[in-house]
Amino acid sequence: MSSSQAPEDQQGGGDPPGDLRSVLVTSVLNLEPLDEDLFRGRHYWVPTTQRLFGGQIVGQALVAAAKSVSEDVHVHSLHCYFVRTGDPKVPVLYQVERTRTGTSFSVRSVKAVQHGKPIFICQASFQQAQPSPLQHQFSMPVVPPPEELLDHEFLVDQYLRDPNLQEMYRVGLNRIAAKEVPIEIKLVNPPILSQLQSKEPKQMFWVRARGHIGWKKIPLKGPSEGDLRSEDWISVFTHPCPLPIPAAFVTCHTHTHTL
């Protein structure tokens, strides 16, 4: 796929692209500037829940914040809070506040607004690349690389070919197969539906965007202190986060893999 980027002024209005790879390139991360530190983002892919996809809002907010800093700094930390349900029928406005602009690091606060109320707020810290003696990260689990694992679509097709597959699973898998999702996923230990059994509430998988992501290079640093590219795989290891309240929270560890 060509890595050419669509001009920013072409996003926003008009009909959505015909496929989700084009959406990634031409629309999702290309924000429409309305004023200084004020942007409008649109959405062409809406989950079946008819609510805005949280990852899209995080990505657009990060792009809005990055547009207000110099290109020689990288995202050092990002704290996000979803405060209201997003409405897929209207665009999202992103208001950027330049909290601090320093010599070595800067801080930006972003508020995503719909119907005059914030649906999402975040604070991003940008820092110049420099060596640090402090390392605080988990070691990557020993797992097969993504190129040795089966595609999510292949697994679904394999499940559907099983004549002994229960109807409840067949209906759900057919719904999954009918969806076009702009994210590629490879499970490390895919389940065998005919031999389901209780397991630990942990999951490991590789994930990346389908095709190149639009806009310019996002100044995001990975665990190896290298720039993350849209074609890079990210390993995700999730497990429950114990809390004193009955809520479904998980802890997520990520690592990168460049082909």
Side-chain angles (χ1 to χ4, degrees):
M1 186 176 187
S2 173
S3 60
S4 60
Q5 298 175 0
E8 291 187 359
D9 59 1
Q10 290 182 0
Q11 86 86 39
D15 296 328
D19 62 87
L20 285 173
R21 289 196 179 190
S22 296
V23 168
L24 284 172
V25 173
T26 63
S27 305
V28 173
L29 296 183
N30 285 335
L31 303 180
E32 178 186 0
L34 300 178
D35 202 342
E36 183 177 11
D37 297 335
L38 180 63
F39 305 91
R40 175 162 54 200
R42 298 184 183 272
H43 24 271
Y44 296 122
W45 178 70
V46 179
T48 55
T49 58
Q50 294 304 302
R51 299 181 178 182
L52 291 182
F53 177 50
Q56 171 188 290
I57 303 302
V58 173
Q60 290 181 340
L62 178 56
V63 168
K67 286 179 177 292
S68 68
V69 298
S70 60
E71 294 189 11
D72 63 339
V73 295
H74 301 265
V75 175
H76 178 259
S77 65
L78 181 66
H79 299 269
C80 305
Y81 300 90
F82 294 90
V83 294
R84 287 183 177 86
T85 300
D87 182 358
K89 300 183 181 66
V90 298
V92 179
L93 296 180
Y94 294 92
Q95 303 170 351
V96 181
E97 177 184 330
R98 304 192 182 203
T99 308
R100 182 185 190 277
T101 301
T103 303
S104 60
F105 79 95
S106 300
V107 178
R108 297 292 184 263
S109 300
V110 183
K111 182 186 299 182
V113 178
Q114 284 187 320
H115 304 296
K117 297 180 179 180
I119 64 170
F120 169 87
I121 55 177
C122 74
Q123 189 170 68
S125 173
F126 295 83
Q127 184 175 344
Q128 288 185 343
Q130 54 187 355
S132 172
L134 180 63
Q135 298 290 333
H136 48 88
Q137 62 191 38
F138 289 93
S139 299
M140 179 176 174
V142 179
V143 297
E147 54 267 25
E148 295 182 7
L149 299 174
L150 297 177
D151 292 331
H152 189 256
E153 291 81 358
F154 183 88
L155 283 173
V156 171
D157 181 69
Q158 194 176 59
Y159 292 148
L160 290 173
R161 292 177 183 272
D162 184 356
N164 299 319
L165 181 65
Q166 297 182 34
E167 186 62 24
M168 59 178 293
Y169 295 130
R170 190 173 301 278
V171 171
L173 288 171
N174 276 315
R175 290 176 180 170
I176 294 175
K179 298 176 184 177
E180 189 179 12
V181 179
I183 302 297
E184 186 175 0
I185 301 174
K186 291 191 175 183
L187 300 177
V188 173
N189 295 306
I192 301 176
L193 296 187
S194 60
Q195 302 176 10
L196 288 180
Q197 54 184 336
S198 298
K199 295 183 178 180
E200 287 187 276
K202 299 179 180 180
Q203 190 174 38
M204 291 183 289
F205 56 91
W206 291 95
V207 61
R208 70 174 175 181
R210 294 187 184 275
H212 295 282
I213 297 178
W215 195 59
K216 60 186 178 181
K217 181 184 71 175
I218 298 179
L220 180 64
K221 304 295 284 186
S224 61
E225 290 302 314
D227 292 317
L228 289 178
R229 305 172 304 171
S230 58
E231 61 266 32
D232 289 342
W233 285 95
I234 300 176
S235 73
V236 181
F237 171 47
T238 64
H239 57 87
C241 178
L243 292 174
I245 57 174
F249 285 91
V250 298
T251 299
C252 179
H253 303 156
T254 63
H255 299 81
T256 59
H257 174 77
T258 301
L259 297 178

